[in-house]
Amino acid sequence: MEVFQGKSIFKGVAIGPLLYYGKKETTVRREKIEDTEAEVARYKEAREKSVAQLRQLHDDSVKKVGEENAAIFDVHAMLMEDEDFCEAIENAIRTQNVNAEYAVAVAGENFSKMFAEMEDEYFKARSADMKDISERLIRVLTGEDEMHSFEEPSIIIADDLMPSETVQLDKEKVLAFVTRLGSSNSHTAILARTMNIPALIDIPIREDWNGKLAAVDGHTGTFYLDPDEETLHEMEEKRDRDLEARRLLQELKGKKNISLDGKEINLYANIGGLKDVAAVLSNDGGGVGLFRSEFLYIGRDSLPTEEEQFQAYKAVVETMAGKRVIIRTLDIGADKKADYLELEKEDNPALGYRAIRICLTRPDIFKTQLRAIFRASAFGKVAIMYPMITSVEELDKIHTIVAEVKKELTADKIPFKDDVEEGVMIETPAAALISDDLARKVDFFSIGTNDLTQYTLAMDRQNSRLDVFYNPHHKAILRLIRMTIENGHKGGAWVGICGELGADTTLTETFLRMGVDELSVSPSMILPVRDAIRKSHAYPEKE
């Protein structure tokens, strides 16, 4: 038996045979082509087929991991059709008389290197995406299968897994996945948690492990290769306890989110669109605490119209049947791009022109969205949440625009509810520090712990080199959260948490004792968090 210590990115225990997932090495040879136009046509046909694959993968993945996580396929489709990338390939075929596979390989490598050398973190991340889409194109051109297939349930081992690869794994046959590379805060890690697949990183995997028996302990981050009988028995017992715990969670459906000492809070879900609502309802979510409206703007060539947005919001609101639906206004910029907005390149986009800053300087976009949201309010219980707020002045400008929108809707005799709740996301240290002032102007706060953590610690949470320093439980973060809750209540606002810390059950009792009113988590975490609430105390013990 060999034992390796890695990092856990999702708890759970798995026992089974190992399946090495290695990318198929496709040797791309340079070939001389006489009929270049026919070769360009062959490339275009492969591109169309690849884009169709990506669109289908998006639709299939929504069912597994929700709209937000499936959006990676929309990004890949956009890159696949990028004008500069396409021109580079077609130009190489025509001027160098080379085959499409070779032109794609060269263009993919050049664009990947170009992105990798950029300072902008968003574009750096696109480096791996360019490799991914180039490999897809080459597979289509050469007629190779897209993914490894496997018959029996297995523990997947790999050097690394792209998000696009992770969501394609057959969840019914994947016991766990273990990689050598990766970050505990990466997109792939978030996908693993969403899919409830035990996962480890930082394990020095080898291809010759393929077929061997192994055990994964996601609770401790331990990997056992060829476990002995004693270890195997211990892991089997631990796995059975986990499975029983999951079964017991199902019995919590219909139960209240109430602490041992009687405090009841709201437990909502984060969604990216209508397709996520089924998961909210099946997991007994009490409402939608974060509707990420930016996914209506991504993966398209132009702004969504008022009518398109209205229909999307209305469908979610009607399906939630009177339960609160909190719609976050456009939060685009930083790592979320829409080329048609023609946003200028920034040295530090996470600190740049994004979210409410775009809305306040382009009020035509903002008013269109607000009109759609207020129209949807006539069909259920809607609340509006504004992201990336840093000042009272921003809030005053928002309220002026909201008043204009209401006046226009009234003049147009379009029905809407005048008492729609309005709130702000507390995701910057500035907002937390002036939360006493903000609370007097809103109905609620929702604390976005992901951005609040990285802005407070001055660390990019996607940077794997910072994992050893990145601490979302840092005392400074918890102090800002406590301050926000206390200031919110003093000012008459209720306070929720919608970031990943809301689903961290090791902090559930801490948040209850701070006085939080609502937690919004991914649909799959609703029942585990409900269980944690029902096992926690919210008030100091009486002497």
Side-chain angles (χ1 to χ4, degrees):
M1 178 176 73
E2 293 183 75
V3 182
F4 301 88
Q5 189 63 43
K7 289 182 183 176
S8 172
I9 57 176
F10 188 75
K11 294 179 180 179
V13 175
I15 303 168
L18 297 175
L19 179 68
Y20 178 76
Y21 178 84
K23 294 183 185 294
K24 294 182 179 180
E25 293 295 329
T26 303
T27 302
V28 177
R29 289 189 171 87
R30 177 172 180 153
E31 298 176 9
K32 186 175 181 180
I33 299 296
E34 298 297 335
D35 189 346
T36 57
E37 290 309 310
E39 194 68 5
V40 168
R42 191 169 78 91
Y43 153 67
K44 288 182 177 179
E45 183 181 352
R47 186 181 70 203
E48 289 178 8
K49 184 176 179 180
S50 298
V51 170
Q53 284 180 354
L54 290 164
R55 299 299 186 201
Q56 186 61 51
L57 284 168
H58 170 271
D59 293 343
D60 293 343
S61 300
V62 164
K63 302 168 188 175
K64 292 183 181 179
V65 297
E67 185 70 41
E68 179 186 11
N69 293 314
I72 184 65
F73 292 112
D74 280 338
V75 172
H76 282 196
M78 289 171 62
L79 290 172
M80 187 85 71
E81 296 179 308
D82 177 77
E83 185 176 348
D84 291 333
F85 182 58
C86 295
E87 284 185 358
I89 295 170
E90 293 178 29
N91 184 63
I93 294 173
R94 291 189 174 104
T95 61
Q96 300 177 42
N97 293 82
V98 295
N99 53 318
E101 292 89 340
Y102 182 80
V104 169
V106 171
E109 184 66 23
N110 289 341
F111 274 72
S112 180
K113 285 181 179 178
M114 177 182 70
F115 282 129
E117 292 172 359
M118 292 183 176
E119 294 182 6
D120 186 313
E121 289 299 325
Y122 172 82
F123 286 110
K124 277 187 177 180
R126 299 290 74 79
S127 175
D129 291 329
M130 291 308 302
K131 289 182 179 178
D132 201 328
I133 66 168
S134 299
E135 290 171 2
R136 179 180 296 279
L137 266 171
I138 292 170
R139 285 197 300 268
V140 171
L141 284 163
T142 56
E144 292 187 5
D145 291 334
E146 186 175 349
M147 292 288 292
H148 291 274
S149 59
F150 51 103
E151 296 301 323
E152 63 176 328
S154 305
I155 296 171
I156 305 299
I157 56 173
D159 280 333
D160 200 5
L161 285 169
M162 293 292 294
S164 59
E165 294 168 329
T166 309
V167 295
Q168 291 178 73
L169 297 172
D170 184 349
K171 187 179 174 183
E172 300 304 316
K173 293 180 181 177
V174 177
L175 300 174
F177 72 73
V178 179
T179 62
R180 182 174 62 85
L181 305 173
S183 162
S184 57
N185 297 298
S186 69
H187 188 67
T188 299
I190 294 172
L191 284 175
R193 292 191 282 268
T194 303
M195 295 169 71
N196 293 323
I197 296 176
L200 304 180
I201 59 174
D202 286 354
I203 300 294
I205 62 99
R206 298 199 308 266
E207 185 174 356
D208 61 12
W209 290 356
N210 192 59
K212 292 187 176 182
L213 183 68
V216 172
D217 187 343
H219 297 278
T220 63
T222 311
F223 179 82
Y224 300 94
L225 182 66
D226 286 329
D228 56 33
E229 287 190 16
E230 182 181 352
T231 301
L232 194 59
H233 180 67
E234 179 185 339
M235 288 297 102
E236 287 172 343
E237 288 187 337
K238 201 168 187 177
R239 180 188 60 188
D240 291 344
R241 289 196 297 271
D242 275 357
L243 292 173
E244 176 64 10
R246 290 186 188 182
R247 186 189 67 77
L248 290 173
L249 283 178
Q250 297 303 308
E251 297 180 2
L252 290 176
K253 290 183 178 179
K255 300 288 180 67
K256 292 184 176 181
N257 312 304
I258 190 166
S259 68
L260 291 170
D261 44 9
K263 179 180 174 64
E264 186 172 359
I265 71 169
N266 289 318
L267 186 53
Y268 294 167
N270 302 331
I271 69 168
L274 179 62
K275 293 178 181 178
D276 295 337
V277 173
V280 178
L281 298 176
S282 65
N283 284 284
D284 200 28
V288 172
L290 171 60
F291 183 159
R292 299 179 173 96
S293 67
E294 57 270 19
F295 294 105
L296 295 173
Y297 293 76
I298 294 173
R300 52 185 298 145
D301 300 323
S302 60
L303 284 164
T305 65
E306 178 184 325
E307 188 62 25
E308 286 177 308
Q309 294 187 65
F310 164 63
Q311 292 297 338
Y313 304 143
K314 175 176 174 283
V316 171
V317 171
E318 285 184 323
T319 307
M320 290 304 295
K323 295 179 178 179
R324 182 188 275 133
V325 176
I326 301 175
I327 302 172
R328 180 174 69 187
T329 57
L330 180 59
D331 185 10
I332 213 158
D335 62 337
K336 288 169 281 193
K337 301 288 185 180
D339 291 342
Y340 56 82
L341 289 176
E342 297 181 345
L343 303 179
E344 294 181 4
K345 181 185 178 301
E346 298 177 301
D347 291 334
N348 196 337
L351 301 178
Y353 185 58
R354 58 174 295 198
I356 203 65
R357 297 161 190 172
I358 294 175
C359 291
L360 290 178
T361 53
R362 299 182 68 171
D364 54 324
I365 296 175
F366 194 30
K367 290 179 78 170
T368 298
Q369 181 175 34
L370 289 173
R371 282 178 61 93
I373 295 173
F374 274 103
R375 286 174 61 189
S377 72
F379 298 87
K381 189 175 183 179
V382 170
I384 305 176
M385 180 161 66
Y386 307 111
M388 288 299 293
I389 297 298
T390 60
S391 71
V392 170
E393 289 74 22
E394 290 169 343
L395 205 47
D396 289 338
K397 291 177 183 177
I398 291 169
H399 288 157
T400 298
I401 294 173
V402 167
E404 291 173 1
V405 167
K406 288 183 176 181
K407 186 176 180 180
E408 290 173 4
L409 291 173
T410 301
D412 294 338
K413 296 182 179 180
I414 296 175
F416 68 94
K417 288 182 180 175
D418 194 42
D419 60 350
V420 170
E421 288 182 303
E422 293 180 77
V424 297
M425 286 193 74
I426 304 294
E427 50 189 335
T428 66
L433 292 169
I434 62 166
S435 53
D436 53 343
D437 295 328
L438 295 173
R440 291 191 287 269
K441 291 179 172 285
V442 296
D443 298 297
F444 67 94
F445 288 151
S446 189
I447 304 171
T449 57
N450 300 355
D451 272 334
L452 183 62
T453 300
Q454 73 170 351
Y455 289 141
T456 302
L457 300 183
M459 290 186 198
D460 178 2
R461 62 192 178 94
Q462 300 285 358
N463 189 332
S464 60
R465 288 176 296 180
L466 300 178
D467 278 359
V468 66
F469 303 105
Y470 190 86
N471 176 19
H473 292 199
H474 195 291
K475 187 183 291 186
I477 309 300
L478 298 179
R479 283 183 178 176
L480 288 175
I481 293 172
R482 179 186 292 277
M483 176 193 299
T484 299
I485 294 171
E486 291 176 350
N487 284 338
H489 289 166
K490 288 177 184 177
W494 61 265
V495 185
I497 296 174
C498 64
E500 279 199 53
L501 284 189
D504 187 338
T505 54
T506 66
L507 288 174
T508 301
E509 184 164 86
T510 299
F511 293 148
L512 287 173
R513 290 183 179 274
M514 287 180 179
V516 73
D517 303 295
E518 175 251 11
L519 295 172
S520 189
V521 300
S522 65
S524 65
M525 286 302 297
I526 290 171
L527 294 178
V529 173
R530 176 173 295 164
D531 185 48
I533 292 169
R534 293 171 64 88
K535 292 176 179 177
S536 299
H537 289 88
Y539 305 109
E541 294 184 14
K542 295 181 180 179
E543 295 182 1

